[in-house]
Amino acid sequence: MSPVWASWAVPVRSVWASNFKYESENLLHVARRAQYVAVDVHYPGVVHHPGKDHNALTVEERYALVKANVDGLKPLQVGIALYDSDGGYLAAWEFNLRDFRPHADPHDENSLAYLAGRGLNVGALRDHGVSADMLSKKLFESGLVGARRGRSRSWITYAGAYHVAYLLKIVTGGAALPRDVAGFNAAVRRYLGDQVYDVARMAADCPAMPRALEHIVTHLGLHPPLESPHLAAAAGVHALQVFMRLKYVELGGDVRKYRGLLKGLH
């Protein structure tokens, strides 16, 4: 499969308080016909670490670690990419969130420095961003999340345990994540449906494929998005592009066995 958008750069719409109303209306319009949705969340690192090798943790222990970090930290930026396979239309938004206070909220300094090096201006987020509650409201209005999602959609992410967990935090108004994996999985189905895929899990079954998302993108010759080529929306676009390539070329079109499996958790 070689979708038309794989050969050209996708524009990213950077969303701030000043253009939130306009861009959220654009999102609502495109969401009606979107069949695939990719999400990537930038967050201020992790402050809770395992007491042993991460690979030695049980699923519940891994989830407890994700929960502790997501419950205690605030997301910085959310990238959403939408694709309608019928019309071949792709659009991407980068929602810059204002809730994080660098002098008061927990964070990892090295992670903030890394994101700054990729172009994220944390000070601008606080001064000009939108609240997570504003984003949550629009995601529900769009039908992308919640019990009234309408048409069946697939959600795509890369190494997605934290991305999906932060998305749940946003759409539940900042509530603590469920207490165990079973509750988390139930919440994912409730808000996102049962078609959730992690590109990292899929790529692991393709021997010739690199592991890091940007390396996969280079390997496949995909173009970086226009604007914000190294931030959340770009990661969402790339996850979606790579998903389509893996699903229809490397994995023969049947990816049912990957449903609900998130790298870093399952």
Side-chain angles (χ1 to χ4, degrees), residues 136 139-140 143-151 153 155 164 167-168 171-173 175-178 181-196 260:
S136 175
L139 290 176
F140 278 102
L144 293 175
V145 301
R148 303 173 72 176
R149 290 183 301 274
R151 65 185 294 180
R153 294 186 176 91
W155 280 81
V164 172
L167 182 60
L168 286 183
V171 301
T172 58
L177 292 177
V181 172
F184 175 78
N185 291 339
V188 171
R189 289 192 297 270
R190 176 183 177 187
Y191 290 103
L192 307 184
D194 60 1
Q195 302 287 327
V196 178

Side-chain angles (χ1 to χ4, degrees), residues 210-224:
R211 292 298 175 258
L213 181 59
E214 291 185 353
H215 293 166
I216 297 175
V217 166
T218 300
H219 177 75
L220 296 178
L222 301 173
H223 290 271

